[in-house]
């Protein structure tokens, strides 16, 4: 029959991956505001194959056998995650595999005959001890006759092998586009599950309070902190200028987030913002989503570069991409795990959305600064959960210290990207957005991706003398625009026309406690 081309390092962790983080849903609770140094723990689609991958790119090593042996599981998983087109792929993979097997079977005799001819041509004495009709018939041929027949069989086999290679390539392409399996903890559908709160709500009934709520756009205009009009002239809608204290706040937020993550043992990295498109795709970031909407910015290639086959480049939507790619085609030692990194980068998102109240101002933009955490762990659920919860602890500490009222959510299957088996979001309360989602807006997320990214980037780990694929975990430490917007709205004082600065940021704000309207001399 020949070797099964899909038996590539079949994972022994399927059941663990499926049940990852299987715990009872915690009762929602309040996490009190923390000071700057305190730490409070939480309770416990263009397809990848369509992205042109150069020969120098990491060779994906996908567990296609698991898909073939569990087609119903993967089909159900795709449907639960709204990957309708990909839900047909498991059955199609089995159809293609059956065709590949048939080709192998039909041409077995041709391969065996070709091997005998090569033996006789290379060393006639090698068949002298064999006594059957076929060997006798081969030995009766002249060398020229053997060469002629061998040449014909070689051409026939070349055509067969080309057909086999096309089938294998199609199977791999379909498998690459299938999303990761989903944790049993993840709610099925499109409704998240509330896990906990961070800080008390500023008012039990905000609409009935005496406090005057303002949009960060209004506040930024009043205090001369934001310039959207100028950015619109220079770059278009979805860009912005941060001015004076707002620019200082960006740096203060970045430095504070780095300080917290570093104190927890995360090593800093300064990554590139331009990445190969095939690396972004390997991490689960596609040029277009399932609805055909553009997701990432691709850099234009010259005709000469395209003709030479130079790899396409994209602007990174998050430093998760260059961080994951940093260990592509390398082998980590068990002593290095978990390997925890934190990076600051500019992020570029093409999908800023249509104009409207829900995307006004800093809430949804094309370019922003973000502090990102990324880790490689051993393929072990307990170790991975520990790192995941540490990320949530860091996020909670940062947002709690900033005085923001937030809620922690277990995100549903419909909200998971291709790479994640589980994702938790933290949403902050934006007074100006009370007509959208009751004022809640995402400010951080954390995801477990098991071996989805490492298999596609050929990142391995040597554990107990055996090669395996490490798991990856990623999470936002702080994304500047939305947190800055939330701080402006939460800290606004209508009577003083000022914004209070959280104590933990004041060391990077020249000791200022408030941002006030500037007086013109």
């Amino acid at each position: 029959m020949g070797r099964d081309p899909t038996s590539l390092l079949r994972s022994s962790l399927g059941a663990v991956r499926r049940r990852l983080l299987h715990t009872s849903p915690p009762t929602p609770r309040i996490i009190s505001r923390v000071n700057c140094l305190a730490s409070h723990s939480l309770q416990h689609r263009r397809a990848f194959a369509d992205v042109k991958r150069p020969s120098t790119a990491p060779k994906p090593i996908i567990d296609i056998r698991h898909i073939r042996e569990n087609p119903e599981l993967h089909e159900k998983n795709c449907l639960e995650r709204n990957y309708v087109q990909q839900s047909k792929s498991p059955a199609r993979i089995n159809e293609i595999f059956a065709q590949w097997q048939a080709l192998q079977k039909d041409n077995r005799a041709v391969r065996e005959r070709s091997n005998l001819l090569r033996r006789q041509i290379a060393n006639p004495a090698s068949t002298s001890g064999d006594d059957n009709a076929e060997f006798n018939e081969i030995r009766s041929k002249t060398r020229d006759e053997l060469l002629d027949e061998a040449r014909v069989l070689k051409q026939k086999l070349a055509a067969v092998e080309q057909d086999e290679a096309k089938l294998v390539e199609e199977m791999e392409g379909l498998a690459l586009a299938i999303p990761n399996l989903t944790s049993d903890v993840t709610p099925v559908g499109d409704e998240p599950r509330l896990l906990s709160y961070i800080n008390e709500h500023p008012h039990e009934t905000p609409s009935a309070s005496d406090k005057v709520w303002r949009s960060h756009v209004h506040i930024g205009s009043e205090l001369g902190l934001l310039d959207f009009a100028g950015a619109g002239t220079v770059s278009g809608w979805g860009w912005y200028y941060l001015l004076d204290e707002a620019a200082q706040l960006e740096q203060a937020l970045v430095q504070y987030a780095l300080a917290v993550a570093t104190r927890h043992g995360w090593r800093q990295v300064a990554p590139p913002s331009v990445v190969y498109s095939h690396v972004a795709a390997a991490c689960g970031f596609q040029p277009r989503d399932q609805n055909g909407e553009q997701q990432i910015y691709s850099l234009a290639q010259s005709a000469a570069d395209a003709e030479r086959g130079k790899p396409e480049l994209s602007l990174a939507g998050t430093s998760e991409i260059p961080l994951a790619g940093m260990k592509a085609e390398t082998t980590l030692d068990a002593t290095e795990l978990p390997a925890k990194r934190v990076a600051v980068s500019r992020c570029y998102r093409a999908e800023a959305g249509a104009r409207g109240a829900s995307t006004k101002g800093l809430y949804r933009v094309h370019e922003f600064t973000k502090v990102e955490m990324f880790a490689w762990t051993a393929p072990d659920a307990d170790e991975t959960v520990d790192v995941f919860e540490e990320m949530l602890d860091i996020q909670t500490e940062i947002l709690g210290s900033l005085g923001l009222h937030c809620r922690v959510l277990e995100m549903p299957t419909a909200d998971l990207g291709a790479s994640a088996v589980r994702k938790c979001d933290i949403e902050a309360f934006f007074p100006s957005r009370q007509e959208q989602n009751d004022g809640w807006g995402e400010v951080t997320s954390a995801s477990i991706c098991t071996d989805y990214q490492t298999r596609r980037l050929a990142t391995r780990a040597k554990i107990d003398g055996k090669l395996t694929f490490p798991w990856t975990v990623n999470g936002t430490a702080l994304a500047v625009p939305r947190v800055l917007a939330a701080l402006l709205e939460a800290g606004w004082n209508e009577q003083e026309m000022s914004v209070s600065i959280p104590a933990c940021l004041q060391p990077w704000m020249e000791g200022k406690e408030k941002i006030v309207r500037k007086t013109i001399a």
Side-chain angles (χ1 to χ4, degrees):
M1 289 289 292
R3 190 175 69 88
D4 179 349
T6 65
S7 59
L8 299 172
L9 292 175
R10 182 185 179 190
S11 171
S12 62
L13 300 163
V16 175
R17 180 169 53 196
R18 178 69 178 164
R19 294 175 173 80
L20 189 64
L21 313 185
H22 184 59
T23 56
S24 300
T27 302
R29 63 190 183 89
I30 299 290
I31 299 175
S32 301
R33 178 172 180 165
V34 296
N35 62 36
C36 295
L37 299 179
S39 175
H40 290 253
S41 297
L42 286 171
Q43 288 181 335
H44 298 113
R45 263 162 216 217
R46 196 171 66 163
F48 177 87
D50 293 334
V51 177
K52 187 174 182 181
R53 200 168 66 244
S55 59
T56 55
K59 173 66 176 174
I61 307 172
I62 308 303
D63 190 0
I64 301 180
R65 178 181 288 182
H66 189 274
I67 298 172
R68 288 196 296 103
E69 294 178 350
N70 301 276
E72 295 84 4
L73 169 65
H74 285 275
E75 178 184 0
K76 180 173 180 286
N77 183 63
C78 287
L79 291 173
E80 289 177 347
R81 296 170 73 144
N82 288 340
Y83 282 74
V84 178
Q85 181 178 350
Q86 287 80 2
S87 68
K88 304 172 185 176
S89 296
R92 176 59 184 156
I93 286 172
N94 274 332
E95 291 175 2
I96 298 170
F97 183 71
Q99 294 174 33
W100 178 86
Q101 284 183 311
L103 276 178
Q104 288 272 305
K105 182 178 180 180
D106 292 345
N107 291 280
R108 184 189 307 166
V110 177
R111 285 191 170 92
E112 291 174 351
R113 175 75 177 185
S114 178
N115 290 337
L116 289 177
L117 290 172
R118 288 203 303 269
R119 282 178 58 191
Q120 182 66 18
I121 292 169
N123 183 11
S126 66
T127 63
S128 59
D130 297 307
D131 188 19
N132 61 44
E134 186 172 14
F135 278 105
N136 292 333
E137 183 263 335
I138 287 176
R139 283 193 291 267
S140 69
K141 289 179 175 287
T142 66
R143 181 175 178 81
D144 287 342
E145 289 174 333
L146 292 173
L147 289 171
D148 288 341
E149 184 180 356
R151 193 176 298 111
V152 171
L153 292 182
K154 182 179 180 180
Q155 292 173 349
K156 183 176 181 179
L157 286 174
V160 170
E161 289 169 357
Q162 187 176 26
D163 291 339
E164 291 175 346
K166 288 179 180 178
L167 292 175
V168 172
E169 183 180 2
E170 186 178 354
M171 277 192 289
E172 290 178 345
L174 292 171
L176 284 167
I178 293 176
N180 207 342
L181 291 175
T182 306
S183 165
D184 286 344
V185 175
T186 299
V188 176
D190 55 11
E191 287 296 322
R193 182 171 64 246
L194 177 63
L195 298 180
S196 58
Y197 289 101
I198 302 172
N199 293 331
E200 297 286 350
H201 198 292
H203 294 281
E204 287 301 317
T205 54
S207 59
S209 73
D210 294 331
K211 181 176 173 64
V212 177
W213 297 108
R214 297 289 189 187
S215 161
H216 69 276
V217 177
H218 172 89
I219 297 168
S221 176
E222 286 285 346
L223 301 182
L225 300 175
L226 306 174
D227 181 1
F228 295 102
T233 300
V234 172
S235 306
W237 182 85
W239 274 272
Y240 55 93
Y241 285 105
L242 300 181
L243 308 175
D244 299 321
E245 287 93 342
Q248 281 185 284
L249 272 175
E250 175 173 60
Q251 299 306 315
L253 287 166
V254 166
Q255 292 305 316
Y256 175 56
L258 283 175
V260 174
T262 302
R263 177 161 42 81
H264 283 272
W266 294 71
R267 293 171 54 188
Q268 294 189 31
V269 177
S273 293
V274 176
V275 297
Y276 284 133
S277 298
H278 61 263
V279 172
C283 294
F285 293 84
Q286 308 298 339
R288 296 186 181 276
D289 65 13
Q290 293 152 258
N291 300 315
E293 296 294 328
Q294 185 180 356
Q295 294 291 296
I296 62 177
Y297 288 108
S298 297
L299 301 184
Q301 274 191 320
S302 67
D305 283 346
E307 187 175 344
R308 288 198 300 267
K310 190 173 181 179
E312 296 178 2
L313 292 168
S314 298
L315 295 178
T318 167
S319 57
E320 172 192 343
I321 299 169
L323 288 173
M326 185 167 62
K327 297 298 183 181
E329 296 186 302
T330 63
T331 300
L332 299 169
D333 190 79
T335 58
E336 300 178 69
L337 302 175
K340 303 184 295 184
R341 303 292 184 266
V342 60
V344 182
S345 71
R346 296 293 278 180
C347 302
Y348 301 88
R349 305 284 176 89
E351 85 297 7
R355 301 188 191 192
S358 63
T359 61
K360 191 175 182 181
L362 295 175
Y363 190 78
R364 194 177 296 278
V365 294
H366 289 300
E367 180 182 2
F368 58 96
T369 301
K370 182 161 70 106
V371 182
E372 179 79 3
M373 297 176 286
F374 187 90
W376 296 267
T377 71
D380 174 81
D382 290 337
E383 179 177 311
T384 304
V385 171
D386 287 344
V387 174
F388 181 73
E389 291 184 344
E390 183 178 321
M391 284 183 174
L392 291 175
D393 289 345
I394 291 172
Q395 293 171 341
T396 300
E397 178 177 348
I398 292 170
L399 295 171
S401 297
L402 295 174
L404 298 177
H405 175 53
C406 304
R407 64 179 185 178
V408 185
L409 302 175
E410 187 77 55
M411 300 310 291
T413 53
D415 198 70
L416 297 184
S419 61
V421 300
R422 181 188 178 187
K423 182 162 83 87
C424 285
D425 282 0
I426 299 182
E427 296 182 339
F429 176 69
F430 291 81
S432 67
R433 290 175 52 84
Q434 292 183 63
E435 294 183 0
Q436 295 92 34
N437 197 27
D438 296 326
W440 297 107
E442 177 197 339
V443 288
T444 73
S445 67
S447 300
I448 295 176
C449 299
T450 60
D451 59 4
Y452 181 96
Q453 294 172 331
T454 54
R455 282 182 172 274
R456 285 158 175 77
L457 291 168
T459 302
R460 295 174 174 83
K462 193 169 187 179
I463 300 175
D464 296 330
K466 297 180 180 179
L467 285 178
T468 185
F469 293 96
W471 288 2
T472 60
V473 191
N474 66 81
T476 311
L478 191 141
V480 169
R482 290 190 184 180
V483 172
L484 178 56
L487 287 176
L488 292 178
E489 295 188 15
W492 175 245
N493 185 310
E494 181 78 9
Q495 285 70 39
E496 296 182 359
M497 299 291 284
S498 67
V499 171
S500 59
I501 299 173
C504 60
L505 299 182
Q506 292 174 16
W508 292 280
M509 294 291 294
E510 300 174 337
K512 293 179 184 176
E513 297 181 0
K514 294 181 180 180
I515 302 173
V516 298
R517 178 185 287 178
K518 297 168 185 60
T519 57
I520 301 176

